[in-house]
Amino acid sequence: MNVANFKTCMLFLILLPVLFFDLIPDASADDGYRLWLRYDKIQDEDLRQDYLHQLRQIHYAGSSARIEKAKEELQRGISGLLAQKITFSDEPGNGPTLIAGTPESSPHIRSMELQGELRSLGEDGYLITRDRQNNIAIAASRDIGLLYGTFHFLRLLQSQQSLQDLDIKSAPQIQLRVLNHWFNLDGTAERGYAGGAIWQWEQLPDYKDPLYTDYARANASVGINGTVLNNVNSDALILTEGYLEKVKALADVFRPYGIKVYLSARFSAPIEIGNLSTADPRDPEVRRWWEKKANEIYSRIPDFGGFLVKANSEGQPGPQDYNRSHAEGANMLAKALSPHGGVVMWRAFVYSNEEPEDRVKQAYNEFTPLDGEFRDNVLVQVKNGPLDFQPREPFHPLFGAMPETPLMMEFQITQEYLGFATHLTYQAPLYEEVLDADTYAKGEGSYVRKVIDGSLDDKQLTGMAGVANIGTDRNWTGHPFAQANWYAYGRLAWNPELGSERIAEEWISMTFSNKEAFIEPVKEMMLASREIAVDYRTPLGLHHIMGYGSHYGPGPWVDEGRADWTSVYYHRADSSGIGFDRSTSGSNAVSQYHPPVKQQFNDIEKVPEKYLLWFHHVEWDYELDSGRTLWEGLVHHYYSGVDSIRRMQDTWESVEGYIDEQRYTHVARLLEIQEKEAAFWRDACVLYFQQFSGRPIPDAYPEPDHPLEYYQDPLNKYVPGL
Ligand code: GCV
């Protein structure tokens, strides 16, 4: 090679990283274990130097277990992001310093006179601001606020925000921000799609897997402050001495992260593990048994959160077995917990197939007469919609109908009806749609989120629960994008008004890449993904037409077994039309909503089309807003759902090279599966409903590859239960 060629070659090699800088992945391989708490070195050298300059000294005042955790996290974050080990100084030094403390622990924070503001932010809130010397200050009333503030500060660095004009005030709008794990004691997870239960019951309490600490870090980073360790379909054994020792071991790991443990309590436990002959809440022995049990739990776990209870639902025992009401059952447990400060989260997910009433009306009918009868440490935990975590449901009419009772929201993070851990569906838009729904309970603006945050009815005790999607898979959630649902749930429980878009941006930049060219298209893909999931499964208000039991693939033909678990109960397709008439001339479920919501849902011309078939039985030739007939519109939704997944695939292909190959390929392959399965859903549903509509698939759409029998044949379902 001559000198000129050599020079050109060298120049090219030097310029190569510059030319392709944007395409250099942020990490070579990543198995997803670190979730959004990835602290890889910031590539932008100017920015890294700027951060280093501003963080030349770090001083954390105080010395509690939570402060230690905050310091550990900061250490971990800064040594990764800025590639710099930090030492904490004993005093705020000269020159730019990050100072963290409470007014009690730090004279410096006290001198900033933030006490009033901090008080208004409550126990968990924090400020991230600048002091008079332009130091960065993280201030809180309590050390848990400092831990939350530290995670927020790290989020700023991870998402490469400017630290110039810091003026952050943050406080949770909801008090109990809880994950519900449906983990069984045999290590399995009901509706868990990312492996089994993460608690290694057989190794506890002696061995505490380091994963428990990482679990706690992830939760604390988004403000989750409670975890229900076991399935609501509960096993009484969890309340025995041996298991309580294991529960205590977990509580000890979680405590420094501000996370309380709760247990799902089996109502019949006094019989099963207490040798009593009844669990009747009026029986004095039963009451004493629960009181003793509560004392026993609190002697081990002084900050135990309380009980979650699924009673008289889907075969679970409950007070109605003794002709007592839900309130009597809940109050008995609440009384036992009350001296210790514990709460009862009593689920409103109740329905019975012996009841001829429309299933979606039953919880409202059963619970509204009990409003005002619950003790003040009871929350009634209500699923977001009146049926069961469908891809889309109208909000549950109990929201806005029990002003005397704290109502807790229950969202499902695990994707029982949304393609398990295989389909990419970002659920923040679903959560947001429900939280932003207007109940009109006290006139316009009576949003569901105001019921939940207590502001509508002046409630102090508030809560939100999310049925977790976490399992033993290395990346916690199976699908790499399912991590976003855990993250989004936590962020919305902290602030229900944050918005899906902002949450997606945060999550993408922390989890994958800070490059705009990656964030923008991926964010758009995420934001569209929930509506796409609805399109190829249950468009226009269809619901519960999934495969029997598994709830994974299509099963609109399911017509055997208990009626309210069949699909035909819900879609009611016949030659005249399709949909469940819940108007005043049908089951009258609309009457459970306040006017004007009731009027809107009741009127076929006014009901939002997304709920059309939820509330009305509609003729096949009914004209939709688009000008299409109902039949054509239904077909259109199914086909466009599948087409949209192809666009998601294109989007993903367009960002190849921005992130590590490992996660890129994982998502790419899962999107291929999703496309295949969405097409299966589409073809199965279109062919099935065509039997009733008797109309052709419009010419614009290709015919399904197979006849209906193929999709119905269990042998062609390549996933059990598909
Ligand atoms: C834990 C649905 C699910 C069940 C779940 C139940 C519930 O019916 O399919 O697996 O049981 O909801 O929320 O209690």
Side-chain angles (χ1 to χ4, degrees):
M1 186 186 297
N2 64 30
V3 176
N5 276 350
F6 177 76
K7 278 188 179 161
T8 317
C9 245
M10 287 309 288
L11 187 69
F12 179 74
L13 285 177
I14 290 164
L15 280 180
L16 193 65
V18 178
L19 292 173
F20 293 96
F21 176 72
D22 238 27
L23 278 176
I24 298 171
D26 285 339
S28 53
D30 195 318
D31 59 17
Y33 179 80
R34 292 176 299 164
L35 296 159
W36 49 89
L37 299 177
R38 294 163 79 250
Y39 298 131
D40 289 337
K41 184 178 168 190
I42 292 174
Q43 301 293 319
D44 179 340
E45 193 49 26
D46 290 343
L47 185 68
R48 193 174 75 86
Q49 289 303 334
D50 176 48
Y51 284 165
L52 277 174
H53 173 75
Q54 303 198 52
L55 299 171
R56 256 189 282 165
Q57 302 180 75
I58 300 182
H59 167 69
Y60 267 60
S63 62
S64 68
R66 286 183 188 151
I67 302 269
E68 288 314 309
K69 293 300 177 195
K71 286 163 81 173
E72 260 174 50
E73 196 66 31
L74 196 74
Q75 178 83 263
R76 186 196 297 252
I78 289 186
S79 59
L81 290 161
L82 307 185
Q84 176 92 19
K85 274 255 165 284
I86 51 174
T87 47
F88 290 90
S89 54
D90 292 341
E91 295 295 330
N94 296 321
T97 307
L98 166 66
I99 301 162
T102 66
E104 280 72 40
S105 68
S106 160
H108 189 89
I109 297 290
R110 195 158 56 245
S111 73
M112 289 173 72
E113 295 179 358
L114 301 167
Q115 284 84 330
E117 210 167 346
L118 286 176
R119 253 194 308 280
S120 74
L121 295 175
E123 300 205 329
D124 293 353
Y126 55 86
L127 296 169
I128 306 179
T129 184
R130 294 272 181 181
D131 69 6
R132 280 192 211 97
Q133 295 79 42
N134 211 25
N135 293 310
I136 299 170
I138 305 178
S141 300
R142 293 198 323 158
D143 48 10
I144 184 63
L146 293 181
L147 180 67
Y148 290 144
T150 301
F151 275 113
H152 191 140
F153 183 71
L154 282 166
R155 187 157 67 230
L156 297 177
L157 302 186
Q158 280 181 281
S159 49
Q160 306 192 357
Q161 306 291 310
S162 160
L163 302 181
Q164 285 320 319
D165 304 307
L166 284 174
D167 182 21
I168 293 167
K169 296 182 191 42
S170 193
Q173 290 176 30
I174 290 169
Q175 196 188 344
L176 309 178
R177 307 174 293 276
V178 182
L179 281 185
N180 287 186
H181 293 286
W182 289 353
F183 290 155
N184 298 313
L185 302 190
D186 64 2
T188 57
E190 182 157 349
R191 309 300 179 187
Y193 311 109
I198 62 174
W199 322 132
Q200 305 293 332
W201 294 117
E202 65 286 2
Q203 296 171 4
L204 284 163
D206 301 315
Y207 176 65
K208 299 175 196 164
D209 195 314
L211 177 137
Y212 306 151
T213 303
D214 289 329
Y215 163 88
R217 289 175 50 233
N219 282 323
S221 76
V222 288
I224 289 171
N225 65 358
T227 173
V228 183
L229 301 179
N230 60 319
N231 192 352
V232 287
N233 292 330
S234 171
D235 186 329
L237 280 183
I238 193 75
L239 296 173
T240 55
E241 202 182 331
Y243 271 99
L244 290 177
E245 276 304 310
K246 299 170 194 286
V247 172
K248 172 191 164 14
L250 290 172
D252 291 344
V253 176
F254 302 156
R255 187 170 298 109
Y257 291 95
I259 298 166
K260 287 186 179 184
V261 297
Y262 299 75
L263 292 175
S264 292
R266 187 164 165 87
F267 200 78
S268 52
I271 303 174
E272 286 148 13
I273 58 168
N275 284 324
L276 299 187
S277 56
T278 177
D280 183 347
R282 283 198 197 161
D283 186 289
E285 271 198 88
V286 171
R287 300 171 78 83
R288 256 197 309 279
W289 188 86
W290 281 110
E291 278 159 26
K292 274 177 65 187
K293 188 50 73 183
N295 296 344
E296 184 192 341
I297 296 173
Y298 281 93
S299 69
R300 289 188 170 82
I301 310 164
D303 57 351
F304 178 67
F307 294 136
L308 169 65
V309 186
K310 172 176 177 179
N312 294 118
S313 167
E314 299 185 334
Q316 293 301 305
Q320 292 179 332
D321 301 347
Y322 309 95
N323 292 322
R324 314 295 181 218
S325 72
H326 284 283
E328 276 185 279
N331 289 345
M332 169 188 63
L333 298 178
K335 184 163 181 288
L337 295 170
S338 171
H340 310 281
V343 299
V344 170
M345 300 172 291
W346 191 269
R347 294 177 91 222
F349 178 65
V350 298
Y351 65 100
S352 154
N353 65 324
E354 277 128 36
E355 176 66 55
E357 185 59 281
D358 176 0
R359 172 172 161 185
V360 309
K361 291 177 67 183
Q362 294 183 29
Y364 178 101
N365 289 347
E366 213 157 306
F367 276 84
T368 46
L370 302 176
D371 192 26
E373 289 190 16
F374 292 94
R375 287 181 70 101
D376 58 10
N377 58 334
V378 177
L379 299 108
V380 172
Q381 183 167 311
V382 183
K383 287 190 181 182
N384 59 272
L387 183 52
D388 189 15
F389 301 136
Q390 296 302 292
R392 170 167 279 127
E393 297 188 36
F395 67 91
H396 202 302
L398 276 174
F399 296 119
M402 294 186 69
E404 303 302 321
T405 312
L407 296 188
M408 185 161 176
M409 172 65 76
E410 179 176 315
F411 285 127
Q412 194 176 45
I413 311 172
T414 191
Q415 295 175 220
E416 175 180 352
Y417 294 94
L418 283 167
F420 297 2
T422 309
H423 293 205
L424 191 166
T425 306
Y426 174 53
Q427 292 191 71
L430 185 164
Y431 305 153
E432 203 179 8
E433 179 175 281
V434 178
L435 293 166
D436 286 350
D438 198 341
T439 68
Y440 279 86
K442 291 190 170 167
E444 197 176 350
S446 306
Y447 303 113
V448 170
R449 67 179 136 79
K450 290 190 168 179
V451 177
I452 301 307
D453 71 17
S455 58
L456 192 71
D457 300 305
D458 199 18
K459 292 274 165 302
Q460 300 311 311
L461 186 57
T462 58
M464 193 188 280
V467 180
N469 58 353
I470 301 163
T472 47
D473 279 10
R474 178 68 189 160
N475 72 359
W476 302 84
T477 58
H479 200 304
F481 275 80
Q483 296 177 355
N485 292 327
W486 177 7
Y487 182 85
Y489 162 73
R491 297 289 284 135
L492 283 170
W494 183 275
N495 178 359
E497 291 176 83
L498 260 187
S500 313
E501 184 171 356
R502 159 150 178 214
I503 296 171
E505 276 167 10
E506 281 178 5
W507 178 80
I508 298 167
S509 66
M510 295 163 79
T511 309
F512 283 119
S513 168
N514 267 299
K515 292 172 187 135
E516 274 308 300
F518 182 89
I519 295 175
E520 276 307 306
V522 172
K523 180 182 76 183
E524 293 308 324
M525 172 178 85
M526 287 171 72
L527 290 173
S529 63
R530 184 281 185 123
E531 202 59 51
I532 294 169
V534 172
D535 275 343
Y536 66 78
R537 279 193 188 83
T538 51
L540 295 168
L542 282 174
H543 47 284
H544 214 300
I545 56 168
M546 291 76 188
Y548 186 82
S550 76
H551 301 158
Y552 187 70
W557 45 81
V558 173
D559 60 0
E560 282 176 8
R562 59 183 272 190
D564 56 0
W565 286 356
T566 66
S567 303
V568 294
Y569 175 92
Y570 296 101
H571 65 65
R572 304 196 171 206
D574 57 23
S575 58
S576 69
I578 180 172
F580 197 132
D581 184 1
R582 296 193 166 105
S583 71
T584 43
S585 46
S587 82
N588 200 19
V590 292
S591 295
Q592 297 184 335
Y593 293 92
H594 293 278
V597 183
K598 172 189 164 179
Q599 280 81 355
Q600 191 196 26
F601 288 168
N602 193 43
D603 185 341
I604 193 169
E605 293 298 328
K606 297 207 176 109
V607 65
E609 262 179 15
K610 57 188 180 186
Y611 303 131
L612 182 64
L613 305 180
W614 185 283
F615 288 111
H616 297 275
H617 189 78
V618 185
E619 290 179 3
W620 292 110
D621 289 329
Y622 176 81
E623 191 180 322
L624 299 174
D625 295 344
S626 60
R628 295 185 178 94
T629 65
L630 173 65
W631 167 246
E632 290 163 354
L634 195 66
V635 173
H636 177 75
H637 277 283
Y638 276 114
Y639 276 82
S640 70
V642 179
D643 290 347
S644 304
I645 302 212
R646 299 201 178 112
R647 284 201 296 279
M648 285 166 72
Q649 290 177 306
D650 293 344
T651 300
W652 194 244
E653 276 170 28
S654 78
V655 296
E656 182 173 9
Y658 281 92
I659 62 162
D660 54 284
E661 184 59 29
Q662 193 174 358
R663 289 181 302 164
Y664 173 79
T665 306
H666 192 182
V667 173
R669 293 295 89 82
L670 290 176
L671 282 170
E672 282 167 15
I673 302 174
Q674 187 171 357
E675 193 234 343
K676 257 194 299 187
E677 295 183 348
F680 194 102
W681 259 96
R682 174 198 64 197
D683 294 346
C685 291
V686 167
L687 288 173
Y688 173 78
F689 291 128
Q690 188 180 31
Q691 300 178 107
F692 302 97
S693 81
R695 283 147 179 82
I697 297 173
D699 287 345
Y701 308 111
E703 287 286 325
D705 289 341
H706 307 282
L708 175 61
E709 297 70 46
Y710 172 89
Y711 301 96
Q712 290 175 305
D713 185 346
L715 294 178
N716 293 326
K717 296 170 186 165
Y718 39 89
V719 173
L722 179 75

